[in-house]
Amino acid sequence: MTTHGRRTSVAALMCALATTHCAGSGDSTPSNDEASPELVRTDAGPVRGAIHDEHRLFQGIPYAAPPVGPLRWRAPEPAAPWTEPRDATRPGSPCPQAPTAYSPIGSVDEDCLTLDVTTPRSVDPERLRPVMVWLHGGGEATGAGSVFDARRLAVGGDVVVVTINFRLGIFGFFGYPGLDGSGTFGLQDQQAALRWVQRNIAAFGGDPGNVTLFGESWGAFAASAQLTSPDAAGLFHRVALQSGFALADYPAGTFYPGLPALPPFWSPAAEVQATGEALASEQGWVEPASETDVALERLRGAPVDELLPHTARFVMPAFGGAVLPESPAEALRAGRFHRVPVLSGATQDEGRLFVALFYELAGASVTEQRYRELLAEAFGEAAEQVEARYPIDAYGSPALAWAAVITDRVWWRATHEQSLSLAAHTPVYAFEFADRDAPAAVPAPEGFPLGAHHASDVVYLLDFVGEPSGLAPEQQRLSQQMIACWSQFARAGDPSRPDLPPWPQFRGDDAQYVQSLAPGDGGIRNVDVVAEHQLDFWSTL
């Protein structure tokens, strides 16, 4: 199997009255109406959202044309304009995806390039608010911006929040010889959404000159890509990265048993194109030796349900083209990225979620013998050194010891390196989410505490639609503090506020210290993550 095959296994004046259609006005300038705050005019047409006690919500707004038929696997095109107020009280469809053990969403609808806007209820045309654009996680094969409820962040932080749906998997990152933009269509969707924000967000009370791009997991990974994309220049002014992995590589067995060692999740365009060509031939979608135009026409006609089973082979952006001229990993290390302030961090126990899902809950429990086997598979002759640093007795079980190895070697080694690379050129504020009693993202296996696991920080900023956060009183206080920090960062490029514990910039001789975020008095404080996650040890292997 090729390296790429191994890697892929795994966003005019408004009509004065709501009944007015604005047809024939001749003015398409996006605008807001103080008398009718539920009605906003975008550059494509007016939208009518919903007004709640403390916030306004506009859902399912098209930021690009549906990428269907001849527009499949093309750069996003402008949405068709409309004249009558468009209902914006329901979310748009998630992009095509199959349900998984960690995401119940299923969709076969390619008409999915929509976004939602959440704002505080008050409208002040003289004071535009900071804008925060959310990129969801999900391994680039699952998820949707529309499943996130941003009211707490918008109201508590006094910001405008935009959540977006973008093409995923085989629909977002497919490649084929001669296909312009191979492996980057999902990234291009995100850029189209950011351009929509530049053109329209002032009508919703947001400041297009103060946009923060933030994301978690694959969303943070994508935000790192946008940091290095020439086409994204000027589209955002700060970036917040939560549990991203732009610089991570993966020892064998990192995510699930039998997975070989993997390099960083960036693919040369030629590899993505070769994978697409081989798949098209295997499935009989394309006749042998077909001309490129003929082959692409046939591929664009393939049914969604025939393509979806192969989506996991296309979950990594391709570099070597206009969108990503070089691997973002190399660009970030070399300092070739947009100079914007960055908030960057990870959770204290990142790896526990993966060990819980793909080992303990999957019937492949990590026993003492299996722990040593995993260390040997991952680290070869250095396995004994790793075991000496991560003895089972120190963690309470072989599974927790293996989770600690994954956390430190994969997530924290890469997170710290990325923060160092960024901090050499731009202000960085680093953090560790450390609430080990955070609500669980999956059922906790017996005797296996999930701790501050991967994605456990999300509900401290955003809710899932229809689901309570499950936060206890002290955790609610931490959530309010984190919302204050993230929104202050969006407002000023620095998360520090007089009413919160000081948050020093990550730099110089103190680059091993990051802000720990945990509940309770003294829960927000500086900690030495180099010592906590044994990064000096990992730098020697």
Side-chain angles (χ1 to χ4, degrees):
M1 183 182 292
T2 65
T3 298
H4 181 262
R6 288 174 176 167
R7 286 184 296 193
T8 55
S9 67
V10 191
L13 185 64
M14 174 185 288
C15 306
L17 301 173
T19 55
T20 305
H21 293 166
C22 300
S25 68
D27 190 346
S28 62
T29 304
S31 59
N32 195 357
D33 188 340
E34 295 176 66
S36 302
E38 78 283 359
L39 191 63
V40 173
R41 183 172 181 82
T42 73
D43 60 351
V47 296
R48 182 182 287 113
I51 307 299
H52 300 274
D53 289 345
E54 294 184 309
H55 72 287
R56 298 185 299 158
L57 177 60
F58 303 83
Q59 297 174 287
I61 305 173
Y63 65 84
V68 300
L71 295 186
R72 179 189 281 174
W73 299 318
R74 291 189 190 276
E77 295 282 340
W82 60 91
T83 55
E84 297 188 3
R86 183 186 183 102
D87 179 24
T89 62
R90 293 178 295 179
S93 172
C95 288
Q97 58 193 280
T100 68
Y102 53 88
S103 175
I105 302 171
S107 174
V108 293
D109 190 355
E110 290 182 86
D111 183 359
C112 62
L113 300 187
T114 62
L115 52 77
D116 300 346
V117 181
T118 307
T119 83
R121 177 165 179 160
S122 64
V123 179
D124 183 356
E126 301 302 319
R127 185 179 69 87
L128 297 178
R129 294 178 166 100
V131 181
M132 300 184 71
V133 179
W134 172 251
L135 301 182
H136 68 81
E140 190 36 29
T142 65
S146 55
V147 305
F148 292 92
D149 181 346
R151 76 183 79 178
R152 283 196 298 124
L153 178 57
V155 175
D158 195 30
V159 295
V160 174
V161 183
V162 180
T163 60
I164 67 176
N165 294 349
F166 45 86
R167 282 174 283 184
L168 305 167
I170 195 169
F171 299 92
F173 296 92
F174 179 75
Y176 194 84
L179 176 59
D180 188 29
S182 283
T184 65
F185 303 108
L187 296 180
Q188 293 185 61
D189 292 344
Q190 296 165 12
Q191 293 174 359
L194 289 165
R195 293 188 183 97
W196 184 94
V197 167
Q198 289 297 306
R199 300 192 308 270
N200 293 285
I201 207 64
F204 295 84
D207 184 356
N210 188 2
V211 176
T212 295
L213 186 63
F214 74 126
E216 184 270 339
S217 191
W218 201 96
F221 179 72
S224 295
Q226 301 296 1
L227 265 175
T228 72
S229 173
D231 293 346
L235 297 181
F236 52 85
H237 311 91
R238 308 148 188 352
V239 169
L241 307 172
Q242 299 171 224
S243 300
F245 45 93
L247 303 189
D249 64 312
Y250 308 86
T254 294
F255 293 113
Y256 53 82
L259 185 70
L262 302 175
F265 281 178
W266 306 105
S267 298
E271 282 191 9
V272 177
Q273 291 170 350
T275 299
E277 184 176 33
L279 177 63
S281 177
E282 292 167 7
Q283 299 300 312
W285 294 329
V286 173
E287 296 290 337
S290 294
E291 295 290 332
T292 298
D293 290 346
V294 174
L296 291 176
E297 182 178 2
R298 291 200 56 173
L299 285 166
R300 290 184 171 117
V304 171
D305 57 5
E306 288 188 17
L307 296 169
L308 265 182
H310 309 283
T311 202
R313 298 176 71 172
F314 302 93
V315 294
M316 292 166 292
F319 64 87
V323 177
L324 294 179
E326 62 178 322
S327 166
E330 298 309 313
L332 290 168
R333 287 186 174 111
R336 292 187 287 271
F337 58 86
H338 306 306
R339 299 293 191 260
V340 299
V342 177
L343 188 68
S344 175
T347 71
Q348 188 173 19
D349 304 303
E350 291 279 356
R352 292 193 190 183
L353 178 67
F354 303 100
V355 175
L357 271 175
F358 304 119
Y359 282 92
E360 300 304 294
L361 293 174
S365 295
V366 181
T367 63
E368 183 173 345
Q369 179 180 346
R370 186 64 183 127
Y371 177 52
R372 293 195 172 95
E373 291 171 352
L374 286 168
L375 292 177
E377 292 168 10
F379 305 109
E381 294 180 356
E384 290 186 3
Q385 296 179 57
V386 177
E387 184 179 2
R389 287 283 186 149
Y390 295 83
I392 293 171
D393 291 347
Y395 295 93
S397 75
L400 288 171
W402 177 235
V405 170
I406 293 173
T407 295
D408 296 354
R409 168 59 180 83
V410 176
W411 294 99
W412 273 102
R413 179 183 179 185
T415 298
H416 194 253
E417 182 188 359
Q418 179 163 318
S419 294
L420 288 170
S421 296
L422 293 166
H425 305 279
T426 198
V428 170
Y429 296 88
F431 70 91
E432 175 189 63
F433 178 77
D435 183 2
R436 283 187 152 159
D437 293 316
V442 299
E446 185 177 355
F448 186 91
L450 286 170
H453 57 280
H454 184 72
S456 59
D457 54 337
V458 173
V459 295
Y460 289 71
L461 298 171
L462 301 164
D463 292 312
F464 290 97
V465 173
E467 296 183 18
S469 65
L471 299 179
E474 279 294 329
Q475 293 173 323
Q476 292 174 15
R477 180 179 174 222
L478 175 61
S479 172
Q480 292 164 359
Q481 292 170 321
M482 288 176 60
I483 285 172
C485 290
W486 261 246
S487 59
Q488 179 63 16
F489 175 75
R491 185 167 285 106
D494 181 337
S496 301
R497 279 187 14 174
D499 57 335
L500 294 170
W503 190 324
Q505 189 173 325
F506 179 87
R507 62 184 172 189
D509 294 337
D510 294 329
Q512 74 266 33
Y513 293 100
V514 309
Q515 195 83 324
S516 177
L517 303 172
D521 294 337
I524 298 181
R525 58 191 176 86
N526 253 206
V527 297
D528 184 345
V529 292
V530 170
E532 181 182 332
H533 295 286
Q534 307 201 53
L535 300 184
D536 283 342
F537 167 71
W538 290 112
S539 70
T540 66
L541 293 184

